[in-house]
Amino acid sequence: MATVVNMPRLSDTMEEGVVAKWLKSVGDKIEEGDILAEIETDKATMEFESFHEGVLLHIGIQEGETSPVDKLLAIIGEEGEDISDLLKGDADKKEDDKSEESSDKKENSDDTSKDESKEDSSSEGVEIPKGVTVISMPRLSDTMTDGTVATWLKKVGDKVEEGDILAEIETDKATMEFECFYEGTILYIGVQEGETAPVDSLLTIIGPEGTNVDAIVKNGGATSSSSEAKDSSSDKKQEKKETKAEDKKESKEESTSSTANTTTNNSGGRIFASPLAKKIASDKGINLADVTGSGENGRIIKKDVENYTPSATVKVETPAPATSAATPTFSVSGEEKSEEVKNSQMRKAIAKSLGNSKFSAPDFSLNIEVDMDNAMASRATINAIPDTKVSFNDMVVKACAMALQKHPQVNTSWTDNNTIYHSHIHVGVAVAVDDGLLVPVVKHTNHLSLTQIGATVRDLAGKARHKKISPAEMQGSTFTVSNLGMFGIDNFTSIINQPNSAILSVGAIVQKPVVKNGQIVVGNTMNLTLTCDHRTVDGAVGAQFLQTLKTFIENPVTMIA
């Protein structure tokens, strides 16, 4: 069935877009993840990705043309499919829009004098003073419904320029830097550090220094479409708010100066630390200047603070005065202490996703041991080639992709009414990050070579650890690989990453005695565990998949042939 693709809203202030360039033509086959066009917004020219598969049947906006958001951009469907009804419906919609616009203009013209006398009583919104911009909580991932401000890098009264980082915002997937696209002074902050707010709620207001934005704040950030300034009589309220903000700021500065948690080192340089590391350090009274960071560029992360041991100090105790009677004394050798750390958006998302998977899918696990001697020899040969690097995990990912081709029942997703068989193979690779777990996706894995898979996994894993990965790079997996072998784990069982039907757990390569040709020799083995959703994958199917996977891994030349 044909799908209508509308002009997307690619920024929070975008009302219309210009198609700078079409990268596909009518009749071209489209796959999920293909770039359809380059669209110019009010902020930048951005690539627009397809989330559908099929044939491009119609282009509604030609190169260079401008169109409002949510208007017909293109239609994707099956080759030769009749889309006349969709085109007719779009034409009727345009006529309706024109008639409504004409009617609105007439009503606006008749009511102008009335509106001027009732400007302050508008309930739909207030007009934005000249040069002022209202910034809402952005939607930084496709599943994000609310966000938590981890850290504000700017405060009220600071001047900001385009490109400055305003804040670090926790989504359900990662903590991401939020960049400013405007110039001016921060007039108001609507969501404080540690607070959570829904998407599109008032985050901050930027404009000329001294501009009164009380009316906008009182209205929750809702504004009318006019950009003309309105005179306001709330100077006293603004003065009161500024006095309160100053008192709060002074109180915060006093608190900061009295605590051991600093943001500069002994030489006056800035200390780079994750928001969670800062919070833990503050709670424990640890001076961040004394902590050595193990993250990128010396950044202090959670484990650095948790593992920090302060240097021992010598205490000179004054002897207690002698008493007439000897009384026994007791000293407490330790103390009980607990602390509460607020759950991050990522941890909440992990809990929800894995909880739904574990309690909704009837799963079972299958184990198999793989001889890794040939794989180790093949890897050494491949890595001897200059500028080439392949890991054992890359070999496992490639073997999984090839085994999924032979066992399509495993490359499926369950719905209440249907089982979806995916013709494409997108393998997700679980990556541990500071605050949890992310699963970057290697698209069309079966069409990639070992070296291409290795380069892609390293690139995506690096982005994930440095919080630079985009939501599109974590979507669409049809199978998942989780590897804890590098931590010395021999065997473990993973929870299925739905909507996948299976996940493979990869253990460490272990050297041990094995029997070959009737002789006991030293061999290298690795344990694999396949966890399956019994609704789509039966035991025999899972066992056959593991047998095929074992053949590919034990004979790497078969993956290259």
Side-chain angles (χ1 to χ4, degrees), residues 372-434:
M372 293 298 290
D373 286 344
N374 288 340
M376 295 174 71
S378 297
R379 177 175 179 263
T381 302
I382 294 172
N383 287 347
I385 303 172
D387 301 324
T388 303
K389 185 177 181 181
V390 171
S391 69
F392 291 114
N393 193 67
D394 301 333
M395 301 175 80
V396 171
V397 171
K398 175 66 174 178
C400 286
M402 297 185 67
L404 288 170
Q405 284 184 303
K406 294 184 176 293
H407 302 278
Q409 185 77 35
V410 183
N411 197 48
T412 56
S413 296
W414 170 267
T415 67
D416 289 338
N417 297 318
N418 303 291
T419 298
I420 303 172
Y421 285 77
H422 303 291
S423 58
H424 57 279
I425 295 174
H426 295 345
V427 178
V429 181
V431 175
V433 296
D434 290 348

Side-chain angles (χ1 to χ4, degrees), residues 335-362:
E335 62 176 313
E336 294 182 356
K337 184 179 180 182
S338 301
E339 62 175 322
E340 292 186 4
V341 177
K342 186 177 180 180
N343 293 328
S344 66
Q345 295 298 107
M346 181 185 293
R347 288 247 62 95
K348 290 179 183 178
I350 291 172
K352 182 179 180 180
S353 175
L354 296 185
N356 288 340
S357 176
K358 189 63 179 177
F359 302 126
S360 66

Side-chain angles (χ1 to χ4, degrees), residues 296-308:
E296 184 187 18
N297 296 324
R299 187 170 185 258
I300 298 171
I301 57 179
K302 174 185 175 184
K303 68 177 183 180
D304 299 327
V305 180
E306 291 179 336
N307 296 334
Y308 171 73

